[in-house]
C-alpha cells in the first residue's frame, strides 16, 4: 500500500531529477544554483523518507544506502552557493557518497535489475569522476563527458524508484 510518505518521496525524487538535470544545462550561475538548491532539498527529503521506509521494512542495507546518499546530497547542497569552482571539494565528497549509497541500495535484490544496473553505472561514473578530480584533473560539476555522463543514469534510477513507489499502491 502506498503511503503519504511514499507519495512525498516520489515527488521529491521527480523534482530532484528534473531540477538537477535542468541545472546542469543552464548557463546562468544564479539560476543553476537555485535549481540545484531546489533539487538538493527535494532529494534530501525523498531519501530521508526512503531511509525510514526501508528501515521499517527491515532492509538495513537499502536504508543505509539511502541515508548515505542523503549525506552526499547534503554536501552537494552545501556547496551550491559557492559557485562551480569553489564547490568542487564538497562536490567530490558528495558524489563519492552518492556512489557508495547507490551501491548499497543496489546490492540487495530489492529493486528491479535494470534499476540496480543504472544505479551501479552512475556510481561507477561518479567514482571515476571523483578519482580524476582528486588526482588533479580540473573537472567541474558541469564538465562533460565526466561527471555529466553519470547524471542521466542517476535520473533513470530515480525514475525506477518512483515507479516502485507508485506501483506499491496496486
Amino acid at each position: 500500500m502506498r503511503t503519504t510518505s511514499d507519495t512525498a518521496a516520489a515527488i521529491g525524487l521527480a523534482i530532484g531529477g528534473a531540477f538537477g538535470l535542468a541545472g546542469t544545462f543552464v548557463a546562468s550561475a544564479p539560476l543553476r544554483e537555485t535549481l540545484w538548491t531546489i533539487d538538493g532539498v527535494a532529494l534530501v527529503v525523498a531519501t530521508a523518507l526512503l531511509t525510514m521506509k526501508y528501515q521499517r521494512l527491515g532492509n538495513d542495507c537499502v536504508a543505509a544506502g539511502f541515508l548515505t546518499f542523503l549525506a552526499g546530497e547534503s554536501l552537494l547542497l552545501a556547496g551550491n552557493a559557492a559557485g562551480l569552482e569553489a564547490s568542487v571539494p564538497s562536490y567530490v565528497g558528495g558524489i563519492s557518497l552518492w556512489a557508495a549509497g547507490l551501491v548499497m541500495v543496489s546490492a540487495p535484490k530489492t529493486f528491479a535489475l535494470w534499476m540496480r544496473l543504472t544505479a551501479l553505472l552512475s556510481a561507477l561514473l561518479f567514482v571515476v569522476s571523483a578519482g580524476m578530480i582528486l588526482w588533479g584533473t580540473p573537472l567541474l560539476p558541469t564538465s562533460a563527458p565526466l561527471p555529466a555522463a553519470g547524471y542521466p543514469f542517476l535520473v533513470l534510477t530515480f525514475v525506477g524508484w518512483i515507479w516502485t513507489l507508485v506501483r506499491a499502491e496496486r
Side-chain angles (χ1 to χ4, degrees):
M1 172 166 61
R2 183 172 48 168
T3 65
T4 304
S5 294
D6 290 346
T7 301
I11 291 168
L13 290 169
I15 291 170
F19 282 60
L21 273 180
T24 303
F25 297 108
V26 299
S28 163
L31 179 57
R32 177 180 50 249
E33 292 160 6
T34 301
L35 292 171
W36 281 352
T37 297
I38 294 167
D39 148 49
V41 171
L43 290 178
V44 165
V45 169
T47 52
L49 291 168
L50 291 169
T51 297
M52 299 306 297
K53 174 186 180 77
Y54 286 96
Q55 179 64 43
R56 279 193 300 272
L57 292 173
N59 196 332
D60 293 346
C61 187
V62 171
F66 282 121
L67 185 60
T68 303
F69 190 93
L70 182 154
E73 188 61 42
S74 295
L75 277 175
L76 293 167
L77 189 56
N80 282 344
L84 284 176
E85 291 82 10
S87 72
V88 170
S90 64
Y91 180 73
V92 169
I95 64 172
S96 297
L97 287 169
W98 269 5
L102 289 165
V103 169
M104 293 168 71
V105 167
S106 301
K109 295 181 180 178
T110 303
F111 295 99
L113 179 61
W114 72 267
M115 291 176 226
R116 293 167 49 218
L117 291 175
T118 59
L120 293 172
L121 183 54
S122 65
L124 176 64
L125 293 169
F126 292 134
V127 165
V128 170
S129 299
M132 290 173 67
I133 293 167
L134 291 171
W135 284 89
T137 304
L139 294 178
L140 297 174
T142 55
S143 295
L146 289 176
Y151 302 138
F153 294 104
L154 179 62
V155 172
L156 280 174
T157 303
F158 292 170
V159 168
W161 294 344
I162 292 166
W163 177 76
T164 301
L165 290 165
V166 170
R167 184 182 62 139
E169 181 180 294
R170 296 184 184 136

